[in-house]
Amino acid sequence: MKKKNVKKGMLPYVILLFVIIFVAYIVAFGNNKVNDLTYDKLLAEIKEENVTELVITPHSSEGTYIITGKLKGYEEKETFKTTTPLTDSIVNQIVSSNPSIDYKLDTDSDPGSSPLLFILVNILPIVLIVGIGYWFISKQVGAAGKSMEFGKSKAKLNTEKNKTTFKDVAGLKEEKEEVKELIDFLKNPKRFQKLGARIPKGVLLVGPPGTGKTLLAKAVAGEANVPFYYISGSDFVELFVGVGASRVRDMFKEAKHNAPCLIFIDEIDAVGRQRGTGLGGGHDEREQTLNQLLTEMDGFGANEGIIIIAATNRADVLDPALLRPGRFDRQVIVNLPDIKGREEILEVHSKNKILAPSVSLKNLAKRTPGFSGADLENLMNEAALLAVRGNKEQITMKEIDEATDRVMMGPAKKSKKYTENERRLVAFHEAGHAVIGLKLSNASEVQKVTIIPRGNAGGYNLMVPKEEKYTATKTELLEQITGLLGGRVSEELTFGEISTGAHNDFEKATKIARAMVTEYGMSDLGPVQLEQQEGGVFLGRDYGKTRNFSNEVAHEIDLEMRKIIDECYGKAKEILKDNEDLVKLIAETLLEYETLTKEQIEYLVAHGRMPEDEKEIQEEEKELNEEKKESTKKTRAKKHEEDVEEKENNENEEN
């Protein structure tokens, strides 16, 4: 049908081409008038001196003379033509009939004597006209073909020679276990069909950006060695209603021809949002596309051997019909990697890099909590770039430290000049954070302190939890707030003045305090959840919060938040007053060195001075590790004695 339609569409253009050629011929040759004269008549006209123009052209291929010219009384485009045999006597006869005749013997313009000239004069113009016409028609047909392909699927077939496998995916152990069934099904579907098992039609990968959702989907296809189609959710939606649904149909049609195969839809929330919601009503094109996707996944037709993997970081906005069994049967949460996962990811991204022997990826993994796989890849790449910029043969911890700071806060602004008073203020502010972290067991541990400005911060304190945990106790949260308030308290105690440098600390502290009161039930208001985060479907993340309380309770929430902040502020003030000399020591050292690492701070606290070289720090670390091991052994022995004693007491009570 399509070929017939294309032929019908070309017919008007073919007719138009012939019309143009005919008109061009008429314009070029239609007004020319050529009169045929006999040779005798020509001689008579020459004798009577009626010939005003005479050209004799030998036609060697035919053995004739072509004689052309004009007679008196002819119009502008009127000529005569005479053909005679090609003999020498012809020219003599013409000259003898009228010796004064002015004739031209044109041997160069003989078309028969030159095949190339004949082609140029007679064939080339026709070829040019036909070629131009064909080009014009093909352009029109191509445009028509593109318009007919408007509803075609934009899903691309991954044709990478070096396929991604599970070896390339680090830090996602449980997630890989969840999707291994898909690989087994794609390799050996009869094994599942024999027991009547139905493999999930769709798997939804949910997690923050950069955690490896796309990489995991590619690894599934690489392990199964099947075709892998990938498309973004935004590729379905167009201005015209019905185009997205057409693309969905075409995508599944193409996938059926290559089954078994995988289809990966990235950012599915672009097309899979809840229907009929949001400001201004629904979105017809997007909703029709979603309806078609739902039909294809679990409609009247069966898509055997086609598995869909989709990725999103906004599963809360997806339509419930998309998540029900029979469509996206399984959700795999792809979380940020833990310390072990980060170490594995760093090993993957450092394979092709030359690292110095002093670089410890394990220590680097400890210092990067909250980093995604993409962040860690960027960190190692930044470190490599810094090493190249410094003309170094290998990447050292200095470049890795700088790369970590760049990823978190941006490049250092060394050219930005502070006054001496500002430098002292920033130094004592950061020293306050550091001392609170050292003195409180549940506060975040100080990894690095610097007064070099980065981004919008005049200095910053890299503080990470001592242990990565999924839950937090009330004491831990209160000590985190105390640590955040340490900078402002240090400014107040040292200078008797406060600055605007603690606004980010207050933002974090207030957020934790409010969550303790309204979400975690950690206040005198009791174990009640008063607020719940809610993101509007089309209104953006955290547009509003659901309030389950009256205005009186809102006042009580404010009082409880103020109570938590005031108590933590008072505790921070008490700690810093008791450790005034330590605050001053760290601040003065910061003013001299500008940046201090965790190891340097610990050495400074223990010895009251900075180490002369790194060997002193390494020896100090060794002693601390031995002390920790000894302390751990004593704790375990004491616990074992207590367990034995408790067991004996229980046995005595039973007897």
Side-chain angles (χ1 to χ4, degrees):
M1 290 296 293
K2 290 183 179 179
K3 290 183 178 179
K4 290 182 179 179
N5 291 335
V6 171
K7 288 180 179 178
K8 288 181 180 179
M10 290 181 62
L11 185 60
Y13 299 107
V14 174
I15 295 173
L16 179 61
L17 175 63
F18 281 110
V19 170
I20 292 172
I21 294 173
F22 178 74
V23 171
Y25 179 81
I26 293 297
V27 170
F29 307 106
N31 294 331
N32 291 346
K33 185 179 179 181
V34 181
N35 300 317
D36 289 328
L37 292 181
T38 62
Y39 180 65
D40 294 337
K41 179 68 174 173
L42 175 62
L43 292 176
E45 294 290 347
I46 291 173
K47 287 180 180 179
E48 295 176 4
E49 298 183 352
N50 290 330
V51 178
T52 60
E53 185 178 324
L54 186 65
V55 179
I56 303 172
T57 305
H59 205 310
S60 57
S61 60
E62 297 180 2
T64 59
Y65 277 119
I66 303 297
I67 304 172
T68 59
K70 286 189 174 185
L71 298 179
K72 290 180 180 179
Y74 273 15
E75 296 178 359
E76 184 179 355
K77 292 187 177 183
E78 187 177 2
T79 60
F80 67 82
K81 178 182 176 184
T82 303
T83 303
T84 64
L86 186 62
T87 58
D88 295 337
S89 60
I90 295 297
V91 178
N92 295 330
Q93 288 179 7
I94 291 173
V95 174
S96 61
S97 61
N98 187 355
S100 63
I101 186 71
D102 185 13
Y103 71 94
K104 180 180 179 183
L105 187 62
D106 190 6
T107 57
D108 295 332
S109 61
D110 178 12
S113 61
S114 174
L116 179 62
L117 185 62
F118 179 80
I119 292 172
L120 291 175
V121 172
N122 296 281
I123 299 176
L124 186 60
I126 298 174
V127 172
L128 288 175
I129 293 172
V130 173
I132 293 171
Y134 178 79
W135 175 82
F136 178 76
I137 293 171
S138 62
K139 291 287 285 184
Q140 296 298 321
V141 172
K146 286 182 181 179
S147 64
M148 286 188 288
E149 292 180 0
F150 195 62
K152 291 286 185 182
S153 169
K154 288 190 176 182
K156 298 177 182 178
L157 180 63
N158 188 18
T159 56
E160 293 181 2
K161 292 182 179 179
N162 300 322
K163 292 184 178 179
T164 305
T165 62
F166 280 162
K167 293 180 181 179
D168 304 308
V169 183
L172 298 175
K173 185 177 180 181
E174 290 78 12
E175 290 81 353
K176 285 189 281 190
E177 290 293 333
E178 285 290 319
V179 296
K180 272 187 178 178
E181 286 181 1
L182 305 180
I183 300 169
D184 294 338
F185 173 76
L186 291 169
K187 285 184 175 180
N188 188 13
K190 291 182 180 179
R191 178 185 166 201
F192 292 84
Q193 294 167 358
K194 183 179 180 181
L195 295 177
R198 181 181 63 81
I199 203 70
K201 290 186 178 180
V203 176
L204 184 65
L205 304 178
V206 183
T211 50
K213 299 184 290 293
T214 304
L215 185 65
L216 184 61
K218 286 185 177 181
V220 173
E223 290 285 340
N225 196 24
V226 296
F228 176 72
Y229 292 91
Y230 59 97
I231 189 172
S232 173
S234 59
D235 288 334
F236 290 112
V237 183
E238 287 286 353
L239 175 65
F240 306 106
V241 177
V243 173
S246 174
R247 288 177 178 174
V248 171
R249 288 191 296 270
D250 188 67
M251 180 180 70
F252 276 91
K253 181 181 177 182
E254 188 174 350
K256 286 177 187 177
H257 294 155
N258 293 281
C261 67
L262 275 174
I263 298 175
F264 176 65
I265 305 175
D266 199 9
E267 304 297 344
I268 195 173
D269 52 278
V271 70
R273 290 173 180 258
Q274 294 180 22
R275 291 166 288 182
T277 54
L279 293 175
H283 188 292
D284 286 342
E285 163 61 359
R286 184 184 54 75
E287 291 181 7
Q288 283 196 23
T289 305
L290 175 58
N291 290 338
Q292 187 63 45
L293 182 61
L294 296 175
T295 303
E296 292 289 346
M297 290 188 70
D298 187 31
F300 295 102
N303 292 312
E304 294 296 334
I306 300 175
I307 296 177
I308 300 178
I309 300 179
T312 182
N313 50 19
R314 293 298 308 275
D316 56 311
V317 304
L318 295 180
D319 194 275
L322 199 62
L323 303 177
R324 75 155 176 82
R327 287 175 181 140
F328 283 102
D329 306 79
R330 184 176 297 177
Q331 289 191 32
V332 178
I333 308 300
V334 186
N335 283 319
L336 293 169
D338 58 8
I339 183 170
K340 187 177 179 182
R342 291 197 297 274
E343 186 178 354
E344 292 175 359
I345 293 170
L346 287 168
E347 287 176 358
V348 170
H349 294 307
S350 59
K351 280 181 180 177
N352 60 340
K353 296 176 176 63
I354 303 174
L355 302 180
S358 60
V359 174
S360 172
L361 296 180
K362 186 175 183 180
N363 291 338
L364 181 58
K366 290 180 181 178
R367 296 175 54 184
T368 52
F371 275 49
S372 66
D375 291 331
L376 295 171
E377 181 186 9
N378 188 32
L379 187 153
M380 294 305 296
N381 185 60
E382 285 288 342
L385 292 174
L386 289 169
V388 173
R389 192 181 301 173
N391 295 321
K392 293 189 175 181
E393 298 295 329
Q394 54 189 4
I395 303 170
T396 64
M397 279 305 298
K398 182 180 179 182
E399 285 77 40
I400 291 177
D401 285 339
E402 176 64 21
T404 306
D405 296 340
R406 279 171 169 265
V407 172
M408 294 179 66
M409 302 290 294
K413 298 181 178 179
K414 295 183 179 180
S415 62
K416 191 173 183 179
K417 299 297 181 183
Y418 281 122
T419 64
E420 188 59 31
N421 288 336
E422 283 180 314
R423 289 184 78 248
R424 289 186 63 80
L425 186 71
V426 172
F428 276 91
H429 179 104
E430 301 302 340
H433 286 304
V435 171
I436 297 290
L438 291 169
K439 296 302 177 180
L440 291 180
S441 59
N442 292 312
S444 296
E445 192 174 38
V446 178
Q447 291 287 338
K448 186 177 183 180
V449 184
T450 180
I451 59 173
I452 298 174
R454 288 181 182 273
N456 294 324
Y460 86 98
N461 208 323
L462 178 59
M463 303 174 72
V464 300
K466 291 181 173 67
E467 293 181 357
E468 291 188 34
K469 300 166 67 176
Y470 289 98
T471 58
T473 63
K474 182 178 179 180
T475 303
E476 289 171 346
L477 292 176
L478 289 173
E479 292 192 359
Q480 283 184 28
I481 295 174
T482 305
L484 289 167
L485 298 176
R488 166 58 69 86
V489 173
S490 180
E491 292 178 18
E492 185 179 351
L493 292 177
T494 306
F495 301 99
E497 185 64 88
I498 56 178
S499 72
T500 60
H503 70 282
N504 187 248
D505 299 331
F506 293 157
E507 181 184 347
K508 294 176 181 177
T510 305
K511 188 176 180 180
I512 295 172
R514 188 170 189 88
M516 290 176 66
V517 177
T518 62
E519 296 181 41
Y520 306 147
M522 294 180 176
S523 69
D524 293 340
L525 294 180
V528 181
Q529 190 178 52
L530 300 171
E531 286 183 347
Q532 182 178 349
Q533 297 290 344
E534 184 179 83
V537 175
F538 291 105
L539 309 182
R541 188 184 298 274
D542 301 336
Y543 179 81
K545 293 182 178 181
T546 301
R547 290 184 50 170
N548 298 320
F549 50 84
S550 62
N551 291 332
E552 290 78 9
V553 175
H555 178 64
E556 292 183 28
I557 291 172
D558 294 338
L559 293 177
E560 289 295 324
M561 287 175 57
R562 185 178 294 276
K563 180 182 175 182
I564 291 173
I565 297 293
D566 288 345
E567 287 179 356
C568 293
Y569 197 88
K571 188 174 182 179
K573 186 176 287 189
E574 181 183 343
I575 293 171
L576 294 182
K577 278 184 177 179
D578 294 340
N579 296 276
E580 187 176 347
D581 293 338
L582 182 58
V583 173
K584 186 176 181 181
L585 175 64
I586 294 176
E588 294 294 342
T589 309
L590 269 174
L591 288 170
E592 181 180 355
Y593 290 91
E594 291 190 328
T595 300
L596 297 176
T597 63
K598 174 192 171 186
E599 295 78 15
Q600 289 173 329
I601 293 172
E602 290 176 349
Y603 191 92
L604 185 64
V605 172
H607 299 85
R609 63 178 179 83
M610 286 288 285
E612 295 180 2
D613 53 28
E614 291 188 4
K615 288 184 179 179
E616 292 187 21
I617 295 179
Q618 292 172 1
E619 291 174 2
E620 185 73 18
E621 281 184 353
K622 191 175 180 180
E623 291 177 7
L624 287 172
N625 289 333
E626 289 177 356
E627 289 177 5
K628 287 179 181 178
K629 287 179 182 178
E630 195 66 32
S631 176
T632 304
K633 285 180 182 179
K634 290 180 180 179
T635 305
R636 287 177 180 173
K638 186 178 180 181
K639 190 174 185 303
H640 179 69
E641 291 176 3
E642 291 175 354
D643 291 340
V644 171
E645 186 179 348
E646 185 180 354
K647 187 177 181 181
E648 291 176 354
N649 292 334
N650 292 335
E651 289 176 354
N652 292 333
E653 288 177 2
E654 289 176 0
N655 294 331

